Each structure stands twice: as C-alpha cells, then as structure tokens.
Amino acid sequence: MLLHIIARGKIGRSPEAELVDRYTKRLTMPHKITEMPDRGGKLPPAGPGTVTVMLDEKGKQLGSMDFARRIEGWRDAGSRECRFLIGAADGFDDADRANADLLIAFGAMTWPHMMARAMLAEQLWRACSILANHPYHREG
Ligand SMILES: C[S@@+](CC[C@H](N)C(=O)[O-])C[C@H]1O[C@@H](n2cnc3c(N)ncnc32)[C@H](O)[C@@H]1O
C-alpha cells in the first residue's frame, strides 16, 4: 500500500524538510509526497479503495499503536493507497472534512503545516517499525 502525503505548501530547503527526509527514508512501505499550492489545485485522482486520512485539529487523537494498526488494517484489506492530507494556513472546511475517511489530530493545538508534515513522517516511520516489530517504538 502506498503511503501518500498530499500537503499544501512548498517545504523547500528547511529544517522541517530535513526531518521529513530523515523519516521518510526509513519507511519500509512505498511512499511519496505530492505538494499542492497553498490554495486551489486539484487533488491527484484516487483509485478504487483509496483511504483518505485528513490531518486536522478537530480530528481524533490516536495513540501510535492504534495508528499503526489502522494502517495495517487498510493494507491487509487490500487498499492500494492511503493518502494523508495536510492543509495550509486556512486549514480545511467542513465539505473537505466530509470527504475524508478519518480525521486525525496531533493534539488540540494548531501546528504549522510544515511541522505537521514532519510529525506525520515520524509517525509513519513509527507505524512501520511497530508493524515490523522493530524496537524503535516503546509503549509506555
Ligand atoms: C496552520 S494549520 C491550519 C489551521 C487552520 N486555522 C484550521 O483551522 O485548520 C495547517 C495544517 O496543519 C495541520 N495541523 C495543524 N495542527 C494540527 C493538529 N493539531 N493535528 C493535526 N494536523 C494539524 C492540518 O493539516 C492543518 O490544516
């Protein structure tokens, strides 16, 4: 299953880009990042069975094990792509939210979208390591 980060904004050369690179390099599942403009533009077409996860402050706060198990469940159910949408300064509206299969929040606070991208990359690596029984994640 392709892990597809679809993020608004250009990360360029920045500390956040280094973090995204550091964690995505370690992913053991196929992955790619598509950058969208801050506003407008069309989402890449979604094939059948694509799962859409939206990063949004109003979303559900999942633990890392739960996040990993959801990815495992979608993968094992035969989904070809799991896409993760990250907004820009304006975030998402309710119509966007209604099109997502799951909304997840990294806490109730608002993070800059480039930091959200780096945090997602880390959580995806953590999820891959959990699913591979790699010792990176320690459950407290
Ligand atoms: C600066 S925030 C947008 C804030 C905007 N005012 C809103 O109400 O959604 C940019 C993007 O970063 C991501 N983001 C920021 N904080 C987040 C959080 N706590 N959990 C999940 N994603 C977050 C979301 O994708 C959001 O659309």
Side-chain angles (χ1 to χ4, degrees), residues 59-76:
K60 198 173 169 60
Q61 297 185 39
L62 299 178
S64 294
M65 290 292 283
D66 193 359
F67 183 58
R69 294 295 164 219
R70 284 180 191 240
I71 289 174
E72 180 181 47
W74 293 321
R75 181 196 66 189
D76 293 354

Side-chain angles (χ1 to χ4, degrees), residues 68-125:
R69 294 295 164 219
R70 284 180 191 240
I71 289 174
E72 180 181 47
W74 293 321
R75 181 196 66 189
D76 293 354
S79 291
R80 310 250 315 253
E81 175 183 339
C82 180
R83 46 176 56 189
F84 297 88
L85 307 184
I86 303 178
D90 296 331
F92 295 109
D93 61 25
D94 286 341
D96 298 323
R97 291 184 179 102
N99 286 325
D101 297 298
L102 176 68
L103 268 59
I104 58 172
F106 295 149
M109 290 180 173
T110 299
W111 297 96
H113 50 310
M114 296 307 167
M115 285 186 55
R117 200 190 302 192
M119 290 157 78
L120 174 63
E122 195 277 343
Q123 284 300 308
L124 290 174
W125 150 239

Side-chain angles (χ1 to χ4, degrees), residues 33-55:
I33 299 178
T34 301
E35 289 194 325
M36 301 263 300
D38 280 351
R39 289 205 176 98
K42 275 199 162 190
L43 286 175
T50 295
V51 177
T52 300
V53 177
M54 177 175 281
L55 271 68

